Amino acid sequence: MADKQIVLITGANKGIGFETVKALIESPKPYHIFLGSRSLSRGEDALAKLNELVPQTASTVELIQIDVTDDDSITKATEVVKNKFGKLDILINNAGAVFDNTTQFNDDIGKFRRVLNDTYNTNTTGAQVTTAAFVPLLLASKEPRLLFITSGIASFIGFGAPFFPPWGKLSAGWPKKDFVGFQGYKSSKAALNMLFLSWHHILKEEGVKTFCVSPGFLATNLGNQPDILRKLGAREPDVGGQVIRTVVEGQRDADVGKVIMENGIQPW
């Protein structure tokens, strides 16, 4: 294991997290990857699928239970990595969730609170607590990297454009009958971008390379609408895995401290 970089990816049993594991084990560079999954059974299914897709690899993959909304789960995962390796070279905060839906504009005012609180707890607070827990292990690495997976819809410039929302003009009247588009999700990712910047400044003197990665418009199961996303032009999730791999393997080191896109930098 001495020659392998130690990587932990949260939310890695499906979607972009799974595709990131796949992209890394396809690399000639050797890794030991902790495949983070909230559910052990779903994590085992992901491992079996990876073995089928990439039967030959220089890397190893180990399932680890981690729920970023559960402090005890995070602490236990930290202890597993610490006891086994005493360090972590790369932490990828990927776990995310969508709780928005098309019926949020109704008379149930409390639903707004539930949507935002649940979304922030996973996408923002979860990444914050996970990062804080693993920082000592990152600082034990000779080449530490810290990644946060964000979204194109977290861009203020992008969503300040006059064509918002991109799927058409909203009709007049209240409550809105149109799909208004992921208020909780996009605001949680905008908040995540600020957390990323904060960690970049906190850890840069220790030599930690910190990045935010915006994988692109991809047809993941986030929100359980992959087919609708494909109709809107979304590409397959493996594109995101390859983008993240370029950051892990140093091809985007000139852009440390920025939001990385496949081709260029995402505006704030």
Side-chain angles (χ1 to χ4, degrees):
M1 294 289 187
D3 60 333
K4 293 180 179 178
Q5 285 192 304
I6 312 304
V7 185
L8 187 144
I9 307 171
T10 63
N13 60 287
K14 62 180 181 178
I16 293 172
F18 176 86
E19 293 296 341
T20 301
V21 178
K22 179 172 173 285
L24 291 178
I25 65 175
E26 289 174 335
S27 172
K29 292 187 177 183
Y31 299 97
H32 182 80
I33 302 168
F34 283 100
L35 186 156
S37 178
R38 187 174 55 178
S39 161
L40 287 176
S41 62
R42 292 179 181 177
E44 289 167 355
D45 290 342
L47 283 178
K49 185 175 180 181
L50 285 167
N51 288 332
E52 292 178 7
L53 295 172
V54 190
Q56 300 294 326
T57 176
S59 297
T60 48
V61 183
E62 178 177 348
L63 176 61
I64 189 169
Q65 195 279 331
I66 182 167
D67 178 349
V68 301
T69 67
D70 183 331
D71 293 346
D72 288 339
S73 172
I74 295 170
T75 299
K76 289 176 182 177
T78 307
E79 289 301 311
V80 169
V81 179
K82 179 181 178 180
N83 292 337
K84 192 158 190 177
F85 296 106
K87 68 163 187 173
L88 180 64
D89 297 301
I90 302 161
L91 172 62
I92 302 177
N93 286 298
N94 167 75
V98 171
F99 296 92
D100 300 276
N101 60 43
T102 58
T103 62
Q104 70 182 81
F105 285 95
N106 53 34
D107 294 331
D108 183 4
I109 297 301
K111 188 168 187 178
F112 285 102
R113 187 176 302 279
R114 292 194 298 275
V115 165
L116 264 69
N117 285 353
D118 289 347
T119 309
Y120 273 74
N121 193 30
T122 300
N123 299 351
T124 312
T125 308
Q128 170 76 355
V129 176
T130 301
T131 299
F134 278 97
V135 161
L137 295 179
L138 283 171
L139 297 184
S141 170
K142 293 180 181 178
E143 298 180 80
R145 290 177 183 267
L146 173 60
L147 279 66
F148 296 85
I149 308 306
T150 188
S151 170
I153 64 174
S155 170
F156 286 97
I157 291 177
F159 270 75
F163 59 81
F164 173 79
W167 41 82
K169 183 179 180 180
L170 296 180
S171 59
W174 188 263
K176 294 295 181 185
K177 303 300 183 183
D178 315 86
F179 177 57
V180 297
F182 305 117
Q183 285 185 308
Y185 182 76
K186 66 189 178 190
S187 62
S188 74
K189 289 295 188 177
L192 180 72
N193 288 358
M194 180 57 76
L195 281 181
F196 144 69
L197 275 177
S198 177
W199 281 112
H200 167 60
H201 291 296
I202 290 168
L203 297 177
K204 63 183 177 182
E205 295 303 321
E206 282 77 18
V208 180
K209 290 184 173 69
T210 305
F211 302 85
C212 218
V213 183
S214 182
F217 184 33
L218 307 175
T220 69
N221 283 321
L222 202 63
N224 299 313
Q225 297 176 321
D227 291 336
I228 293 175
L229 295 174
R230 287 186 181 96
K231 290 178 181 178
L232 292 171
R235 296 191 291 170
E236 293 306 309
D238 62 327
V239 173
Q242 293 298 329
V243 174
I244 295 167
R245 174 177 157 180
T246 65
V247 178
V248 168
E249 299 193 336
Q251 297 173 39
R252 303 299 298 273
D253 278 5
D255 299 321
V256 67
K258 299 176 182 177
V259 182
I260 309 299
M261 298 173 66
E262 181 181 9
N263 298 304
I265 302 301
Q266 180 168 296
W268 300 110

